[in-house]
Amino acid sequence: MTSVKSPETLLARTIKSLNKDRFAQDLNRWLHTLVNHDNTTILAYFRDETPRLLMIDSVTPEVHQDMKTVYLSGAYLLDPFYEVHSSGADAGLYWIWDIAPDQFNRNQYSIEYYVRTTIVDEIAYVIWPTPQISVHVCLGRDKKSNRRFSIRERSAAKQALPI
């Protein structure tokens, strides 16, 4: 029988795992206690390099099936979250629908990549470990739950920003 751990216990485990191989998985487990999400993608963006995929987690295979072949091969240049990076926006929590361009569902990135992921909503924690590198912890909802994050869920996620 597996025991259910409290958010506080999971946060403590996450902090203890800093600089260890299990950090991303521990972080993801803790984030699940804050906001229920279907998938996680952690990316590092650089000034003049291809982004680096640090961690993926999803039950729905379509979410990450084209990540290496399409997204990292250049589609990322059209991603609204990449625009957050390239504009040097402040660290924070970003909601796709606040940063996506008008007619997002009709643009090239959406048609050729995003729609195939089956993601219906996404929020991302953006941090800047250095002025040239941003790390994005993207929490998504896809066809599994087929619903957007509520205002309450986005607010709960935002409360974790200082951590």
Side-chain angles (χ1 to χ4, degrees), residues 26 118 146:
D26 288 348
T118 76
N146 200 33

Side-chain angles (χ1 to χ4, degrees), residues 102-156:
D102 292 341
Q103 306 298 321
F104 175 67
N105 292 330
R106 295 186 197 168
N107 76 15
Q108 180 184 359
Y109 172 76
S110 183
I111 293 167
E112 294 179 11
Y113 176 74
Y114 203 74
V115 169
R116 289 190 279 166
T117 68
T118 76
I119 293 174
V120 296
D121 203 4
E122 195 170 9
I123 56 176
Y125 292 97
V126 176
I127 60 164
W128 291 88
T130 77
Q132 296 80 31
I133 302 170
S134 67
V135 175
H136 296 220
V137 178
C138 305
L139 310 179
R141 292 239 172 102
D142 55 55
K143 70 179 184 180
K144 180 181 174 215
S145 64
N146 200 33
R147 63 187 177 94
R148 287 189 175 186
F149 293 105
S150 68
I151 293 170
R152 179 183 229 165
E153 289 168 321
R154 292 192 316 267
S155 177

Side-chain angles (χ1 to χ4, degrees), residues 64-78:
H64 295 109
Q65 75 181 3
D66 293 332
M67 178 61 76
K68 291 179 182 169
T69 58
V70 177
Y71 186 85
L72 295 176
S73 294
Y76 72 89
L77 294 166
L78 301 173

Side-chain angles (χ1 to χ4, degrees), residues 32-64:
H32 269 289
T33 69
L34 300 178
V35 61
N36 188 23
H37 54 282
D38 300 330
N39 58 74
T40 306
T41 308
I42 303 177
L43 289 158
Y45 290 105
F46 305 88
R47 285 288 177 229
D48 296 314
E49 295 176 38
T50 301
R52 189 167 306 138
L53 185 60
L54 303 176
M55 199 271 295
I56 57 174
D57 178 54
S58 179
V59 175
T60 307
E62 294 91 340
V63 171
H64 295 109

